[in-house]
Amino acid sequence: MAKLRVKNFGPIKEGFSENDGFMEITPVTVICGNQATGKSTIAKLYSTFVWLEKALKSEKIQKEELTYDEFANNYLAYHCIKSYLTASSEIDCILDSYEFHISQKTIDTIKREDGRYVKPKIAYIPAERNFCSALPKPNAIAGVLKNLFETIGDFDVAREARDGKKYKLPIGDYYYRYDEGTNRSYISDTKSNYEIELYEAASGIQSVVPLSLISRYYSNFIDYTLNGKRQQFSLDEKKQVEKKYNELSETLGTGLLASILSQNAAKDSSKFFSLIALTSAFKAFGLYNSVTEKKELLQNLEKGKMAVLQKANDELLSIITSRFINIVEEPEQNLYPESQRKVLFELLECMNTNKHNQLMITTHSPYMLSYLTQCAKAAELLEKGVPSDRIEKIVPVKSAVPGEKISIYETKEDGSIALLKPYENLPSDENLLNIALADGNERFSQLLDLEVAFCK
């Protein structure tokens, strides 16, 4: 499990006080709190480190090149947090393959030999994403912030993949359509049968469109089939895949290997074991032809051969893009509470498409935390055998997430960070956002008392 420790960095002072200062980054990690208390700072740092790990693993950068100045002037500057780094800053991030330690104007990068690395697609979707929607042709604009520029690029890829096809948005009865010929985006409402350009739409729709399209595209990109045609490989990676295929063919026999891959690609393959990376990589290079499949059962496979297959699959997870790390600032932005709920459900559904995926969000909204608790309760009831069709009427089953996979941290104005303790494995509602709601109800009650006392 990834861990992040931050002290004396921008608005974060003492940081997290438990667990030796290390925040555990779980499959769903929520950072809530008041404005300017460090929510986005945490998200940006985590995004930076997971990207650095990916770059080091792919040898896009070398360990020796990652100096303190390079870290500050290139990678922190990318997210506009370079000025937060001072001589007293302490930052530690422990990931699967690398550890990063920053203190006293030095950076120490340590390669871990025991961690299993799963190659991710990393999306950072900032609060400024409305920029993608507010202009007729956002990809033609120069001079924007670097991280927003990357978001525009992801949005461009996601919308081009749906050229001419209507896309149902998670809110209301709205549809999105992209016309590659004119390079313009459109919003339609089936109830009133109209169509307008995206930049003319309401701010909430402008916020949701890039968030939804990017999240859906990359979660589908990295679904259980891992479409090999969408993968991009270097020549060295191609050689590694071919070498692994030859080794397995020699150990198992080509016929048995083809049969195993065929069985694994079937819908009921979960009762065997996952060979997603093998299936995707071998198909991408034409090493596995479904026409030649033989129907041999995996149940009869020797344990030793199963171990060989699983080990090979784990090794190729570092080559195949096999997980989606989705980091989203303020998904509730410009949205009515009901729309916030639907957007959160969609983000969780996208996260659930692959067991390796991660979702990190920052939020000011107490509704988001309430809806997240509903999703955790739905997962608990599913585990207890409650009929899924009954749960579906309240919470989409595809959005259910076990409480143990959720962490909620609260950033505070004094620069500290607190973990909201779960109650019976459900996210806690004892946080400043819900306290603010309770305070509002209490104040209104006091006004009613005054009405009774003075208005006879």
Side-chain angles (χ1 to χ4, degrees), residues 149-169:
F149 183 80
E150 188 73 23
T151 302
I152 292 173
D154 284 338
F155 179 49
D156 205 35
V157 169
R159 66 180 185 168
E160 284 183 1
R162 304 198 62 86
D163 179 34
K165 301 175 185 176
K166 283 192 174 183
Y167 173 78
K168 179 69 170 68
L169 296 177

Short mmCIF file of all heavy atoms in Angstrom, two decimals, residues 149-169:
data_model
loop_
_atom_site.label_atom_id
_atom_site.label_comp_id
_atom_site.label_asym_id
_atom_site.label_seq_id
_atom_site.Cartn_x
_atom_site.Cartn_y
_atom_site.Cartn_z
N PHE A 149 -2.82 21.61 -19.19
CA PHE A 149 -2.49 21.25 -20.56
C PHE A 149 -2.60 19.74 -20.75
O PHE A 149 -3.12 19.25 -21.76
CB PHE A 149 -1.07 21.73 -20.89
CG PHE A 149 -0.65 21.48 -22.31
CD1 PHE A 149 -1.04 22.31 -23.34
CD2 PHE A 149 0.16 20.40 -22.62
CE1 PHE A 149 -0.65 22.09 -24.65
CE2 PHE A 149 0.56 20.15 -23.93
CZ PHE A 149 0.15 21.00 -24.93
N GLU A 150 -2.13 18.99 -19.76
CA GLU A 150 -2.21 17.53 -19.81
C GLU A 150 -3.67 17.07 -19.77
O GLU A 150 -4.06 16.13 -20.48
CB GLU A 150 -1.44 16.91 -18.64
CG GLU A 150 -1.29 15.41 -18.69
CD GLU A 150 -0.28 14.96 -19.74
OE1 GLU A 150 0.59 15.76 -20.12
OE2 GLU A 150 -0.40 13.80 -20.17
N THR A 151 -4.49 17.74 -18.96
CA THR A 151 -5.91 17.40 -18.88
C THR A 151 -6.60 17.66 -20.22
O THR A 151 -7.44 16.86 -20.66
CB THR A 151 -6.60 18.22 -17.77
OG1 THR A 151 -5.95 17.96 -16.53
CG2 THR A 151 -8.07 17.86 -17.65
N ILE A 152 -6.26 18.77 -20.86
CA ILE A 152 -6.82 19.06 -22.18
C ILE A 152 -6.45 17.96 -23.15
O ILE A 152 -7.27 17.52 -23.98
CB ILE A 152 -6.32 20.43 -22.69
CG1 ILE A 152 -6.90 21.56 -21.83
CG2 ILE A 152 -6.70 20.64 -24.15
CD1 ILE A 152 -6.33 22.93 -22.16
N GLY A 153 -5.20 17.46 -23.05
CA GLY A 153 -4.76 16.37 -23.91
C GLY A 153 -5.55 15.09 -23.67
O GLY A 153 -5.97 14.41 -24.61
N ASP A 154 -5.78 14.76 -22.39
CA ASP A 154 -6.58 13.57 -22.05
C ASP A 154 -8.02 13.73 -22.54
O ASP A 154 -8.63 12.79 -23.06
CB ASP A 154 -6.58 13.35 -20.54
CG ASP A 154 -5.27 12.76 -20.03
OD1 ASP A 154 -4.54 12.14 -20.84
OD2 ASP A 154 -4.97 12.91 -18.83
N PHE A 155 -8.55 14.93 -22.38
CA PHE A 155 -9.92 15.20 -22.84
C PHE A 155 -10.01 15.06 -24.36
O PHE A 155 -10.98 14.50 -24.89
CB PHE A 155 -10.31 16.62 -22.41
CG PHE A 155 -11.69 17.04 -22.85
CD1 PHE A 155 -12.78 16.22 -22.64
CD2 PHE A 155 -11.90 18.27 -23.45
CE1 PHE A 155 -14.06 16.61 -23.03
CE2 PHE A 155 -13.16 18.66 -23.85
CZ PHE A 155 -14.25 17.84 -23.64
N ASP A 156 -8.99 15.53 -25.04
CA ASP A 156 -8.96 15.44 -26.50
C ASP A 156 -8.96 13.98 -26.95
O ASP A 156 -9.70 13.59 -27.87
CB ASP A 156 -7.72 16.16 -27.03
CG ASP A 156 -7.89 16.65 -28.44
OD1 ASP A 156 -9.01 17.05 -28.80
OD2 ASP A 156 -6.91 16.64 -29.20
N VAL A 157 -8.15 13.15 -26.30
CA VAL A 157 -8.09 11.73 -26.64
C VAL A 157 -9.43 11.06 -26.36
O VAL A 157 -9.95 10.29 -27.19
CB VAL A 157 -6.98 11.03 -25.82
CG1 VAL A 157 -7.07 9.51 -25.97
CG2 VAL A 157 -5.61 11.51 -26.28
N ALA A 158 -10.03 11.36 -25.21
CA ALA A 158 -11.28 10.72 -24.81
C ALA A 158 -12.43 11.11 -25.74
O ALA A 158 -13.26 10.27 -26.10
CB ALA A 158 -11.62 11.10 -23.37
N ARG A 159 -12.50 12.37 -26.13
CA ARG A 159 -13.64 12.78 -26.98
C ARG A 159 -13.46 12.31 -28.42
O ARG A 159 -14.43 11.98 -29.10
CB ARG A 159 -13.83 14.29 -26.92
CG ARG A 159 -12.72 15.13 -27.51
CD ARG A 159 -13.02 16.60 -27.39
NE ARG A 159 -12.00 17.41 -28.06
CZ ARG A 159 -12.14 18.71 -28.31
NH1 ARG A 159 -13.24 19.34 -27.95
NH2 ARG A 159 -11.18 19.37 -28.93
N GLU A 160 -12.20 12.25 -28.91
CA GLU A 160 -11.98 11.76 -30.26
C GLU A 160 -12.36 10.28 -30.39
O GLU A 160 -12.78 9.82 -31.45
CB GLU A 160 -10.52 11.96 -30.67
CG GLU A 160 -10.18 13.41 -31.02
CD GLU A 160 -8.76 13.58 -31.49
OE1 GLU A 160 -8.04 12.56 -31.57
OE2 GLU A 160 -8.36 14.72 -31.79
N ALA A 161 -12.21 9.55 -29.28
CA ALA A 161 -12.59 8.14 -29.29
C ALA A 161 -14.09 7.96 -29.46
O ALA A 161 -14.55 6.88 -29.83
CB ALA A 161 -12.13 7.48 -27.99
N ARG A 162 -14.85 9.03 -29.20
CA ARG A 162 -16.31 8.96 -29.33
C ARG A 162 -16.80 9.84 -30.47
O ARG A 162 -17.96 10.29 -30.46
CB ARG A 162 -16.98 9.41 -28.02
CG ARG A 162 -16.53 8.63 -26.80
CD ARG A 162 -17.51 8.81 -25.69
NE ARG A 162 -18.82 8.28 -26.06
CZ ARG A 162 -19.17 7.02 -25.92
NH1 ARG A 162 -18.33 6.14 -25.42
NH2 ARG A 162 -20.37 6.63 -26.29
N ASP A 163 -16.00 10.09 -31.45
CA ASP A 163 -16.36 10.99 -32.55
C ASP A 163 -17.72 10.64 -33.14
O ASP A 163 -17.94 9.53 -33.63
CB ASP A 163 -15.29 10.94 -33.64
CG ASP A 163 -15.62 11.84 -34.82
OD1 ASP A 163 -16.21 12.91 -34.58
OD2 ASP A 163 -15.30 11.48 -35.96
N GLY A 164 -18.62 11.61 -33.09
CA GLY A 164 -19.94 11.43 -33.68
C GLY A 164 -20.92 10.64 -32.84
O GLY A 164 -22.12 10.63 -33.13
N LYS A 165 -20.44 9.94 -31.81
CA LYS A 165 -21.32 9.10 -30.98
C LYS A 165 -21.77 9.89 -29.75
O LYS A 165 -20.97 10.54 -29.10
CB LYS A 165 -20.58 7.84 -30.54
CG LYS A 165 -20.07 6.98 -31.68
CD LYS A 165 -19.25 5.82 -31.13
CE LYS A 165 -18.63 5.01 -32.26
NZ LYS A 165 -17.74 3.94 -31.75
N LYS A 166 -23.05 9.80 -29.46
CA LYS A 166 -23.56 10.48 -28.28
C LYS A 166 -23.12 9.75 -27.02
O LYS A 166 -23.10 8.53 -26.97
CB LYS A 166 -25.08 10.57 -28.34
CG LYS A 166 -25.60 11.67 -29.28
CD LYS A 166 -27.09 11.89 -29.08
CE LYS A 166 -27.56 13.09 -29.90
NZ LYS A 166 -29.00 13.37 -29.67
N TYR A 167 -22.79 10.53 -26.01
CA TYR A 167 -22.32 9.99 -24.73
C TYR A 167 -23.25 10.48 -23.63
O TYR A 167 -23.42 11.68 -23.44
CB TYR A 167 -20.88 10.45 -24.47
CG TYR A 167 -20.33 10.08 -23.12
CD1 TYR A 167 -19.88 8.79 -22.86
CD2 TYR A 167 -20.26 11.02 -22.09
CE1 TYR A 167 -19.38 8.46 -21.62
CE2 TYR A 167 -19.76 10.69 -20.85
CZ TYR A 167 -19.32 9.41 -20.62
OH TYR A 167 -18.82 9.07 -19.38
N LYS A 168 -23.86 9.56 -22.90
CA LYS A 168 -24.79 9.93 -21.83
C LYS A 168 -24.01 10.41 -20.62
O LYS A 168 -23.18 9.69 -20.06
CB LYS A 168 -25.63 8.71 -21.45
CG LYS A 168 -26.62 8.97 -20.31
CD LYS A 168 -27.73 9.89 -20.75
CE LYS A 168 -28.84 9.96 -19.68
NZ LYS A 168 -28.41 10.63 -18.44
N LEU A 169 -24.28 11.65 -20.20
CA LEU A 169 -23.63 12.19 -19.02
C LEU A 169 -24.29 11.63 -17.77
O LEU A 169 -25.47 11.25 -17.79
CB LEU A 169 -23.72 13.71 -19.03
CG LEU A 169 -22.98 14.42 -20.17
CD1 LEU A 169 -23.21 15.93 -20.11
CD2 LEU A 169 -21.49 14.12 -20.12
#
